[in-house]
Amino acid sequence: MRLLLIEDDDRIAGPLTEGLGRYGFTVDHVRTGAAGLADAEAAPDLVLLDLGLPDMDGLDVCRSLRARSAVPIIMITARGEEADRIVGLELGADDYLAKPFGVRELIARIRAVTRRAGAPAYAPAGSAQAPEAHQTAPGAQTLGPLAVNRRTREVHLDGQPIALTPREFDLLAYLAEDPGTVYSRQQIMDTVWDPHFFGPTKTLDAHVAALRRKLGDPGWITTARGVGFRLTVPGDHTAAEAAG
């Protein structure tokens, strides 16, 4: 697995590259955002992105990477403010790891992110028949003008492709398993992220906000105050019947 490490501090990059190498990862290390964007053209499997770069803000690098690719991005930074983490996640990062951290923790995050990027969404507990009832073709599902294909991990709205990060796709696909059903925040975090995820508390909200923005209407994902979220077709009060 080839990783692109964008980190200007050699005191961090050196041991990190060596440690990841011991676990079988190939690491391409660059020290600036511009070099990272150039190296990303070679299509790495995952990007490790520091936010404090000498030539440009790492958030701008994240934005540029996401505009051109769905490559998984893990931000690694000393910035501890929750606002920075939320902005990064809204821009398309898949995870956030604050310095200092251990190589084993980073590897666990890498594996979790890549697993989510390549694995099909889970069906909600107790509704094994839901995917069959809602799918129109193998791996495909239609909800009004929205089409979600789990096999190809593609999303189209009114026939136009919607670029989603791996985590955003998993979140949308999970909510789409049973349209209209309210999923609790804990259910979503345990399934779309990980039962042992200890990231920022607003991670889910950031991804919901990003999905609403990309789908062009906040009505696609409605909030059940104090409980969680549901997927609905805007303007359709019987969204559960709209699938298929």
Side-chain angles (χ1 to χ4, degrees), residues 74-89:
I74 297 178
M75 297 185 297
I76 53 174
T77 179
R79 296 183 188 178
E81 293 297 325
E82 186 176 58
D84 287 318
R85 298 195 294 265
I86 292 174
V87 170
L89 293 169

Side-chain angles (χ1 to χ4, degrees), residues 61-153:
V61 177
C62 181
R63 182 187 292 108
S64 297
L65 285 172
R66 187 52 70 228
R68 68 177 70 171
S69 170
V71 61
I73 301 171
I74 297 178
M75 297 185 297
I76 53 174
T77 179
R79 296 183 188 178
E81 293 297 325
E82 186 176 58
D84 287 318
R85 298 195 294 265
I86 292 174
V87 170
L89 293 169
E90 286 184 331
L91 290 176
D94 296 276
D95 206 347
Y96 188 106
L97 195 55
K99 301 173 183 177
F101 55 85
V103 173
R104 289 185 180 181
E105 180 183 4
L106 175 58
I107 290 173
R109 297 292 187 101
I110 291 172
R111 288 173 175 167
V113 166
T114 54
R115 184 172 62 246
R116 288 189 293 266
Y122 294 96
S127 59
Q129 76 283 5
E132 180 180 354
H134 295 163
Q135 290 170 354
T136 57
Q141 178 182 14
T142 301
L143 296 158
L146 181 68
V148 180
N149 192 311
R150 292 172 177 79
R151 182 176 60 82
T152 62
R153 297 183 66 82

Side-chain angles (χ1 to χ4, degrees), residues 4 6 30 32-41 56 60-62 64-65 68:
L4 172 58
I6 308 175
V30 297
T32 65
L37 291 174
D39 206 54
E41 297 295 334
M56 59 193 301
D60 292 328
V61 177
C62 181
S64 297
L65 285 172
R68 68 177 70 171

Side-chain angles (χ1 to χ4, degrees), residues 84-213:
D84 287 318
R85 298 195 294 265
I86 292 174
V87 170
L89 293 169
E90 286 184 331
L91 290 176
D94 296 276
D95 206 347
Y96 188 106
L97 195 55
K99 301 173 183 177
F101 55 85
V103 173
R104 289 185 180 181
E105 180 183 4
L106 175 58
I107 290 173
R109 297 292 187 101
I110 291 172
R111 288 173 175 167
V113 166
T114 54
R115 184 172 62 246
R116 288 189 293 266
Y122 294 96
S127 59
Q129 76 283 5
E132 180 180 354
H134 295 163
Q135 290 170 354
T136 57
Q141 178 182 14
T142 301
L143 296 158
L146 181 68
V148 180
N149 192 311
R150 292 172 177 79
R151 182 176 60 82
T152 62
R153 297 183 66 82
E154 294 177 326
V155 175
H156 289 77
L157 182 63
D158 291 322
Q160 299 300 312
I162 304 296
L164 301 181
T165 68
R167 188 75 60 80
E168 289 166 357
F169 179 88
D170 287 343
L171 173 58
L172 178 63
Y174 179 61
L175 294 175
E177 290 287 0
D178 196 0
T181 294
V182 176
Y183 293 95
S184 72
R185 298 176 67 91
Q186 193 60 54
Q187 283 178 308
I188 297 171
M189 294 300 296
D190 286 351
T191 303
V192 179
W193 275 261
D194 187 285
H196 305 293
F197 177 77
F198 296 107
T201 58
K202 296 297 184 180
T203 295
L204 174 55
D205 301 87
H207 281 78
V208 168
L211 271 179
R212 285 169 171 164
R213 184 173 63 252

